[in-house]
Amino acid sequence: MTVSTNLPSFHTPGVEDDRTGLGIETLKRAFFDNLYYVQGKLPNRASTVDYYMALAYTVRDRLLQRWLATEDILTRPEVRIVGYLSAEFLMGPHLGNNLINLDIYAPVKQAIEESGLNLQELIDIEEEPGLGNGGLGRLAACYLDSLASLQIPAIGYGIRYEFGIFDQEIVDGWQVEITDKWLKYGNPWEVARPEEAVEIKFGGYTQPYTDDQGRYRVRWVPGSTVMGIPYDTPITGYNVNTVNTLRLWKAEAPESFDFTAFNQGDYWGAVNDKVVSETISKVLYPNDEQIQGKQLRLQQQFFFVSCSLQDVIRRQLESGRTLDTLHEKFSLQMNDTHPSVAVAELMRLLVDEHMLEWDHAWDITTRTLAYTNHTLLPEALEKWSVSLFGSLLPRHLEIIFEINSRFLDQVRLRYPGDEARLGQLSLIDEGGDRSVRMANLACVGSHAINGVAALHSELLKKTVLHDFYELMPEKFCNVTNGVTPRRWLALSNPRLTALIDRRIGNGWLTHLDRLRELESAADDAGFRHEWRMVKRDIKADLADHIANRTGISVNPDTLFDIQVKRIHEYKRQHLNVLHIVTLYHRLKQNPNQDMAGRTFIFGGKAAPGYDMAKRIIKLITSVGDVVNKDPDVSDRLRVVFLPDYNVTFGQRVYPAAELSEQISLAGLEASGTGNMKFSMNGALTIGTLDGANVEIREEVGAENFFLFGMKTEEVTALRSQGYNPMSYYHSNETLKAVIDLIASGHFSHGDRELFRPLIDNLLYHDPYMLLADYQSYVDCQDQVDRAYRDSENWVRMSILNAARMGKFSSDRSIQDYAQTIWQADAVPIEIEA
Ligand code: C3B
């Protein structure tokens, strides 16, 4: 289906319009016009931020016609819409990305340069909207890019946090959290739509009543209400007319003032209501994969889910359809369990507010919703105490009990007498303080359940969701994650992109499998030379950046070995440190040791309350302080912790990497997506058989991947047989020496207490089995060292890695979702000139 729109376009045919024209003179005029009329600045008084804002508006003007055309087609009854419900969207800066997707980078660059400014400087000044913690939020952002690029009508639904993920500073080697004020200069990319605000209820009680047809009904009498105000951001597709919408909700009080209180002189009380309401969308919870069970978090989840479902229902009715066919027009994907209260809320809206019969509503609900699981970590499985849930959402608790009772009846029929299984499947955990199991709710209320990499989806079926798999195997599927090559190659690595273009022409950014055409180039010495030169230049740029940021000088001719991701024990940044200390120990014993110079680069945030993760950061910076200053080793070893790792910094770092560290304990990293960004940019991976590493290795070939460590089954076997980390410590001389060196205070000015919690944890518990994988990791790193010194072959492997990454384009992931879960099609939009 192709649709054309003939929305009025407000410009005179034949005349280049200042809001749409792409001629250099037009762009310059529009830019200065926006500076004057929107920013209210004259060029001689304007700051870089003013110029950035003026340019952002100039670019936004150029996508508005497509955005409105896309909005317009959503109202057609036959157009199917994907709604992506996510508590996090880690979008990264918009300006550069929109220049790429609108294909106007070159003319805009020329116009800006002819105006005496530097485009890169304006791109770099954008405060990135950090409305996510890590992988899960960034995946949502890549998926929005691919949905638009594949011309699938879609809306991302989430929360407009006033404060996103904190900014990280490193003070005396420790992480310090600073509030993220991303909105401080205003946000040129969003449009508020207060006319589409919705009302959200909380608390209170429920009341049964009989309707005029004599049917039993329930009414929810809320204790308080807040308003959800939508803020829309355009999501451009690459070289297409589709511009989808990211709709983020801000919480506001229904009335700014409680006039009764105000008139009685209680000014503070009157305004307080507003303050309390606005708290809901105030701040992003900075924990990744660790739930805290805080009331405000449940309020946030219900808030954005209810806003979004009311929005979906409004659109359904406005398109001229009834709610009976909601599932035909909408497919709603729940990004992890964070939005899973949607199951109960959609039922409430259909049954209580729109008066549908229960069974009919249930059929619509389960056909509309689908659930993606992103983790097997037990501490990340969301549970809410029944008492907290009931006090905040009394009607939803009743609905969940009703869903559960009907569901358990079916289970009893299928497995008579199997009480243990019943207890596992129940939506309510009856042990201790009773709680609602959100993953169980999501499974029961969805027609599809998927994991995010082949291994992860298999493990889901075998472990955490095993009972659900046995009961309803037809719901289970896998969609391996992907990342957008527009941001992660075209925007972040223009030099490599240009080199690839010269070799295989263009068009591969939307058909990433075409990178295979580079395979033959791996055998072309001339091409290898060019590839190496590109990498060398980018490494030199990163080295400059590192020097500016941290004062540490690094040599761009050393191997850039990089681990960037959230700091978490299961991701094992400290295993990387054990290797660094091993090399340090070796070099101190034998200063003439033959090895390639290496620069170890780390980046990542620790959850503010996660002591062990914060200590890992301190360990990295402390080892760096000693190693970088020690003349015996510092020509061959450098260790850098780059503060405040975020999307913007990711764009610098992936292109410069030569070795990508993906070293989680097998079975714990659901997929990983950084691993894909590295490989796409020609880094080789050292990794375990975990998450998407398995599939990356399959694609690039075992000979182009450095594999180490136990497999998932070996991990399970070792654990069940009784894992004893101390035995590795006692039987491995080097390992013992390395651990003793850290424990002795060598990296902590003699302080033996600083790293004791980390060391004791490794020796007495080691839940992520670093000691068991240590020797295999070090041996594999030695292999990396030898391989790197055969530089021609290294470059060959680098090219082959990039060439074989087609599978990991998020376009492929979205096509998988569209075919197997959403039944959504492309709707190309023609815009009449
Ligand atoms: C992450 C997982 O840890 C990654 O393996 C995975 O690649 C991404 O999700 C995307 O699927 N994840 C996260 O960032 N936050 C969570 N709460 C759960 C999983």
Side-chain angles (χ1 to χ4, degrees), residues 71 74-75 80-91 131 136-137 139-141 143-144 147 153-161 193 196-198 200 228-233 235 244-250 284 300-318 326 329-340 342 346 349 368-369 822:
E71 258 296 310
L74 298 187
T75 62
R80 190 161 164 77
I81 303 172
V82 173
Y84 199 82
L85 301 176
S86 180
E88 304 187 6
F89 286 94
L90 190 44
M91 299 303 291
L131 309 186
L136 172 138
L139 185 77
Y143 282 2
L144 291 186
L147 279 160
I155 304 171
Y157 282 114
I159 301 174
R160 182 179 176 276
Y161 300 106
R193 305 277 187 205
E196 292 180 11
V198 294
I200 307 301
I229 317 292
Y231 284 71
D232 290 351
T233 301
I235 305 296
N244 282 327
T245 294
L246 170 61
R247 171 158 280 200
L248 300 178
W249 301 93
K250 173 177 193 275
L284 168 77
Q300 289 187 336
Q301 295 185 349
F302 177 69
F303 168 74
F304 96 88
V305 162
S306 180
C307 287
S308 308
L309 291 177
Q310 291 186 58
D311 195 63
V312 159
I313 288 178
R314 177 186 55 81
R315 289 173 193 265
Q316 170 80 0
L317 299 176
E318 281 179 10
L326 186 69
K329 184 159 173 67
F330 282 94
S331 187
L332 302 179
Q333 192 68 33
M334 298 186 284
N335 200 24
D336 217 290
T337 53
H338 316 148
S340 59
L346 187 50
L349 289 165
T368 305
L369 294 171
W822 302 332

Side-chain angles (χ1 to χ4, degrees), residues 134-137 139 288-289 336 338 374-375 380 452 481 570-571 669-673:
L136 172 138
L139 185 77
D288 118 301
E289 313 204 32
D336 217 290
H338 316 148
H374 292 265
T375 180
V452 290
N481 285 168
Y570 88 79
K571 296 177 188 280
E669 188 68 270
S671 163
T673 44

Side-chain angles (χ1 to χ4, degrees), residues 182-249:
W182 71 288
L183 290 167
K184 69 178 170 227
Y185 296 119
N187 175 4
W189 300 104
E190 69 183 6
V191 179
R193 305 277 187 205
E195 71 282 8
E196 292 180 11
V198 294
E199 193 182 271
I200 307 301
K201 308 188 248 196
F202 287 104
Y205 56 94
T206 64
Q207 233 176 19
Y209 70 100
T210 314
D211 70 11
D212 44 15
Q213 288 157 51
R215 288 176 307 188
Y216 173 84
R217 295 275 173 205
V218 178
R219 158 186 318 128
W220 175 17
V221 184
S224 64
T225 58
V226 302
M227 300 305 292
I229 317 292
Y231 284 71
D232 290 351
T233 301
I235 305 296
T236 50
Y238 178 71
N239 270 341
V240 291
N241 285 329
T242 303
V243 176
N244 282 327
T245 294
L246 170 61
R247 171 158 280 200
L248 300 178
W249 301 93

Side-chain angles (χ1 to χ4, degrees), residues 142-197:
C142 284
Y143 282 2
L144 291 186
D145 182 87
S146 284
L147 279 160
S149 297
L150 291 165
Q151 306 177 85
I152 299 174
I155 304 171
Y157 282 114
I159 301 174
R160 182 179 176 276
Y161 300 106
E162 186 179 334
F163 304 115
I165 187 68
F166 60 85
D167 294 337
Q168 178 194 56
E169 283 182 13
I170 299 296
V171 178
D172 188 27
W174 293 95
Q175 164 174 301
V176 173
E177 299 92 24
I178 312 287
T179 327
D180 158 61
K181 301 215 178 85
W182 71 288
L183 290 167
K184 69 178 170 227
Y185 296 119
N187 175 4
W189 300 104
E190 69 183 6
V191 179
R193 305 277 187 205
E195 71 282 8
E196 292 180 11

Side-chain angles (χ1 to χ4, degrees), residues 276-415:
V276 170
S277 302
E278 294 187 350
T279 310
I280 292 179
S281 56
K282 196 54 88 179
V283 56
L284 168 77
Y285 275 91
N287 311 301
D288 118 301
E289 313 204 32
Q290 170 92 2
I291 51 146
Q292 292 201 307
K294 290 278 194 309
Q295 162 159 323
L296 181 59
R297 169 81 170 178
L298 181 57
Q299 278 177 293
Q300 289 187 336
Q301 295 185 349
F302 177 69
F303 168 74
F304 96 88
V305 162
S306 180
C307 287
S308 308
L309 291 177
Q310 291 186 58
D311 195 63
V312 159
I313 288 178
R314 177 186 55 81
R315 289 173 193 265
Q316 170 80 0
L317 299 176
E318 281 179 10
S319 77
R321 282 172 171 264
T322 66
L323 293 178
D324 305 309
T325 62
L326 186 69
H327 56 282
E328 289 174 12
K329 184 159 173 67
F330 282 94
S331 187
L332 302 179
Q333 192 68 33
M334 298 186 284
N335 200 24
D336 217 290
T337 53
H338 316 148
S340 59
V341 70
V343 176
E345 172 65 352
L346 187 50
M347 283 300 285
R348 187 192 68 83
L349 289 165
L350 296 177
V351 172
D352 292 359
E353 307 225 337
H354 294 274
M355 305 298 163
L356 269 61
E357 293 301 331
W358 181 280
D359 289 330
H360 187 35
W362 184 245
D363 185 55
I364 295 169
T365 297
T366 53
R367 288 203 207 191
T368 305
L369 294 171
Y371 160 52
T372 305
N373 174 290
H374 292 265
T375 180
L376 299 165
L377 292 190
E379 65 267 35
L381 288 181
E382 288 195 295
K383 282 188 197 174
W384 296 105
S385 93
V386 164
S387 55
L388 167 65
F389 202 99
S391 70
L392 211 58
L393 302 169
R395 178 58 184 143
H396 297 79
L397 187 61
E398 289 176 3
I399 290 174
I400 288 171
F401 282 142
E402 180 65 25
I403 295 172
N404 198 34
S405 137
R406 291 168 183 246
F407 169 61
L408 293 181
D409 280 347
Q410 286 177 352
V411 177
R412 277 192 203 91
L413 280 180
R414 177 78 187 275
Y415 305 101

